[in-house]
């Protein structure tokens, strides 16, 4: 169960559909650069439910074919420059979604259902850009009662970062329960963690309720501060200055390339 970053990346292939989490829920930045260095191409990213630095870096490095998301930004650091440029150039496909729709698609996959109904999309322009979302009348009502059917989302892989895992492969995600449907829906789930602990997190009454069982985890790699420059709940805050530095540099492709080269030489944060 325990692995390393290179071994995990060796299991990823071009053309995969990969689910990645929102910036505050444990982004595996530790896997981002190895994915780029592996030369992955034509990735279809599913942001759960929004994307940020990881998505922007993968787009800037030419790894991405499409992004299904409700938004991509760098939060306080501003817009996602390489993503925005790619959208303008038409070099990637953006699949418009909403936060509830992304979660609904994952939950449908988790439950083995081909779809999940959702009401909130009725009357929005998003429907016009999603021919795969079907509007039907509620079959359980005698009145006209339209609902939208959201197809199940089946990622090939889900990747995220968490504070800790045990040697059995159980991963502690705490209150970030939105990570669980990613793992339930994906065929494989790869997790980086700040540390590997002794004992059994699932058997401990103090941690058990916040654990993603090893049954849903394909491999775990230890990567201290593996979410940096994003923060990790209960562990360390986001490095806003570094995010702003990236945002300024990546306004051009040349600046992005220079930033990636410079930070590769600097190595991982202490």
């Amino acid at each position: 169960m325990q692995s390393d970053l290179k071994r995990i990346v060796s299991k990823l292939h071009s053309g995969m559909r990969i689910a990645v989490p929102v910036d505050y829920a444990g982004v595996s930045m530790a896997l981002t650069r190895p994915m780029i260095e592996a030369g992955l191409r034509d990735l279809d990213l599913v942001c759960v439910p929004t994307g940020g630095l990881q998505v922007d870096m993968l787009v800037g490095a030419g790894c991405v074919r499409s992004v299904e998301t409700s938004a991509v930004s760098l939060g306080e650091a501003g817009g996602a420059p390489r993503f925005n440029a790619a959208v303008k150039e038409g070099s990637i496909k953006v699949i418009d979604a909403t936060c509830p729709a992304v979660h609904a698609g994952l939950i449908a996959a988790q439950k083995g259902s081909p779809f999940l109904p959702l009401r909130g999309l009725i009357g929005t322009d998003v429907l016009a850009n999603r021919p795969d979302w079907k509007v039907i009348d509620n079959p359980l009502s005698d009145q006209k009662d339209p609902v939208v059917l959201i197809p199940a989302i089946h990622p090939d892989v889900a990747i995220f970062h968490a504070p800790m895992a045990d040697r059995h492969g159980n991963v502690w995600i705490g209150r970030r329960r939105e990570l669980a449907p990613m793992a339930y829906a994906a065929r494989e789930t790869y997790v980086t963690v700040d540390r590997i602990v002794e004992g059994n997190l699932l058997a401990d009454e103090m941690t058990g309720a916040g654990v993603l069982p090893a049954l849903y985890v394909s491999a775990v790699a230890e990567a201290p501060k593996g979410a940096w420059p994003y923060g990790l709940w209960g562990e360390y805050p986001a490095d806003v200055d570094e995010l702003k530095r990236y945002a300024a540099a990546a306004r051009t492709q040349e600046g992005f390339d220079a930033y990636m080269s410079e930070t590769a030489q600097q190595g991982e944060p202490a």
Side-chain angles (χ1 to χ4, degrees):
M1 180 64 69
Q2 191 172 347
S3 189
D4 57 35
L5 297 179
K6 289 184 178 179
R7 188 171 300 175
I8 285 178
V9 171
S10 72
K11 298 177 184 295
L12 304 179
H13 307 288
S14 296
M16 277 186 160
R17 192 181 194 188
I18 300 180
V20 297
V22 65
D23 56 12
Y24 57 78
V27 179
S28 183
M29 292 305 301
L31 277 175
T32 306
R33 191 179 295 274
M35 290 171 66
I36 292 171
E37 292 173 349
L40 297 176
R41 291 292 183 268
D42 294 329
L43 299 179
D44 298 311
L45 301 182
V46 179
C47 302
V48 185
T50 64
L53 180 62
Q54 182 177 55
V55 173
D56 203 64
M57 283 185 170
L58 291 172
V59 169
C63 302
V64 178
R65 173 170 55 192
S66 71
V67 181
E68 182 171 1
T69 186
S70 54
V72 177
S73 81
L74 300 182
E76 293 181 20
R82 291 299 87 213
F83 171 82
N84 291 344
V87 172
K88 290 178 181 178
E89 295 165 2
S91 59
I92 64 170
K93 179 181 180 181
V94 178
I95 304 172
D96 289 331
T98 67
C99 298
V102 171
H103 288 299
L106 292 173
I107 292 171
Q110 169 190 342
K111 296 183 179 300
S113 173
F115 58 81
L116 202 70
L118 200 64
R119 289 188 185 280
L121 294 160
I122 301 295
T124 71
D125 291 335
V126 183
L127 280 173
N129 298 309
R130 291 300 300 260
D132 56 326
W133 293 355
K134 307 299 182 183
V135 180
I136 68 166
D137 282 324
N138 176 5
L140 302 180
S141 174
D142 295 331
Q143 308 296 321
K144 184 173 179 59
D145 182 24
V147 294
V148 181
L149 305 185
I150 305 297
I153 296 175
H154 293 282
D156 295 306
V157 173
I159 59 173
F160 59 83
H161 187 80
M164 60 182 170
D166 62 29
R167 299 193 184 280
H168 304 283
N170 300 306
V171 177
W172 188 76
I173 60 174
R175 293 184 294 171
R176 303 302 178 202
R177 300 308 302 177
E178 63 267 41
L179 296 174
M182 290 172 57
Y184 298 152
R187 294 178 175 85
E188 304 284 341
T189 296
Y190 301 119
V191 185
T192 55
V193 295
D194 268 27
R195 58 191 177 276
I196 303 292
V197 300
E198 301 300 330
N200 188 321
L201 291 169
L202 191 58
D204 189 329
E205 290 289 349
M206 298 300 292
T207 57
V211 168
L212 176 66
L215 173 66
Y216 300 103
V217 180
S218 307
V220 175
E222 190 172 22
K225 287 195 174 181
W228 184 89
Y230 281 128
L232 187 64
W233 69 93
E235 300 291 325
Y236 43 88
D239 188 340
V240 177
D241 288 340
E242 184 64 22
L243 289 167
K244 289 180 178 178
R245 188 167 84 91
Y246 169 85
R251 288 172 183 164
T252 65
Q253 185 65 45
E254 294 76 17
F256 170 82
D257 293 339
Y259 175 91
M260 296 299 286
S261 177
E262 175 193 344
T263 52
Q265 296 173 3
Q266 290 174 351
E268 296 298 322

